[in-house]
Amino acid sequence: MSIYKFTEVLNDTLSYFLLGDLIALNNYKKAHQLPDNLAKEFTTQETGDRVVLDGIMIPLSDVANYPYTIIFNLSATPELLQPGNQLQLRQDGYILKVESGSIMLYTWWILNNFTDERVAEKIQYARAHQLPLIELESGWYHVEILGGQILQSSEITNQQGEKVTLSGLEPAFEFLITKAEIQGNCTADIFRSYRLESEAY
């Protein structure tokens, strides 16, 4: 399987999504003797920039408070470029290190108290509730992010008890993930805004 899609993904009312291997971030924290409160560390020191440039975490900032469709795409053909969808932004140049065999999209809250226990709980919860987590061979990856609106269909039951299919554009982020032979350098604009316009919200 090369395309994984998750719907109704929330940013937990904070204007960030973060992508990465939580185990790799925990190992990085220990190796650099960082505090459990990574949120404060990343917002008051240059460590936040460094962890992105080192390929441990990819931040999407200025994210509007919508439910999103999240796509992990391991193929060469972006879903957001398919007919009927609407591309609003595109940013390549990210690098990402996978150490534990999986990556996930998570929110800022976990950084407030980033401990072994919290990391294990978060991963277990994500697997149990089909949150945006996929298995990936450990190693280095190039990541490109696309944002926009994707055509989604949903089935509802009307007042007459009939099933009706509704279609509409939903805000979406798509991560194009490509295996890399070596680490490489992060050339992305790590401070860019990922705010999307949505017709649905």
Side-chain angles (χ1 to χ4, degrees):
M1 188 170 176
S2 58
I3 297 177
Y4 303 82
K5 189 179 293 186
F6 302 84
T7 58
E8 301 294 314
V9 178
L10 302 175
N11 63 344
D12 294 341
T13 70
L14 287 173
S15 59
Y16 271 93
F17 277 128
L18 303 167
L19 178 71
D21 178 348
L22 284 180
I23 300 298
L25 179 56
N26 199 27
N27 291 340
Y28 187 94
K29 174 197 140 184
K30 293 174 181 177
H32 293 81
Q33 299 181 318
L34 302 178
D36 290 345
N37 190 344
L38 287 182
K40 182 178 180 181
E41 174 72 19
F42 289 168
T43 53
T44 60
Q45 307 294 326
E46 293 183 0
T47 323
D49 299 348
R50 177 49 52 193
V51 78
V52 177
L53 294 174
D54 286 346
I56 306 300
M57 181 178 80
I58 295 175
L60 283 71
S61 61
D62 198 29
V63 171
N65 193 26
Y66 310 135
Y68 289 88
T69 297
I70 300 297
I71 303 166
F72 294 125
N73 191 335
L74 309 183
S75 76
T77 308
E79 290 287 294
L80 275 169
L81 297 186
Q82 299 300 315
N85 299 331
Q86 178 197 79
L87 182 69
Q88 294 183 20
L89 59 85
R90 191 168 186 172
Q91 174 69 64
D92 63 4
Y94 289 105
I95 58 172
L96 190 63
K97 186 180 186 183
V98 179
E99 294 181 2
S100 71
S102 70
I103 62 169
M104 66 181 293
L105 190 77
Y106 54 98
T107 62
W108 189 263
W109 290 112
I110 192 174
L111 298 182
N112 290 320
N113 183 25
F114 200 83
T115 62
D116 291 351
E117 295 74 23
R118 286 286 309 283
V119 168
E121 288 170 5
K122 184 70 173 177
I123 294 172
Q124 184 178 20
Y125 185 88
R127 291 186 190 281
H129 294 83
Q130 284 77 55
L131 298 182
L133 181 150
I134 63 167
E135 310 299 324
L136 271 187
E137 180 185 354
S138 292
W140 284 100
Y141 291 83
H142 298 300
V143 180
E144 181 177 359
I145 302 174
L146 286 73
Q149 297 188 100
I150 193 165
L151 195 60
Q152 292 280 60
S153 297
S154 58
E155 192 176 78
I156 65 166
T157 303
N158 65 17
Q159 291 178 332
Q160 288 74 41
E162 302 164 328
K163 292 191 181 299
V164 180
T165 300
L166 299 178
S167 296
L169 288 168
E170 297 283 343
F173 287 114
E174 180 173 10
F175 300 93
L176 299 182
I177 302 168
T178 309
K179 192 82 166 66
E181 295 301 319
I182 58 174
Q183 175 177 349
N185 295 313
C186 176
T187 59
D189 176 4
I190 66 174
F191 302 110
R192 76 163 297 162
S193 166
Y194 282 91
R195 181 165 292 273
L196 300 179
E197 298 300 322
S198 169
E199 295 177 14
Y201 304 103

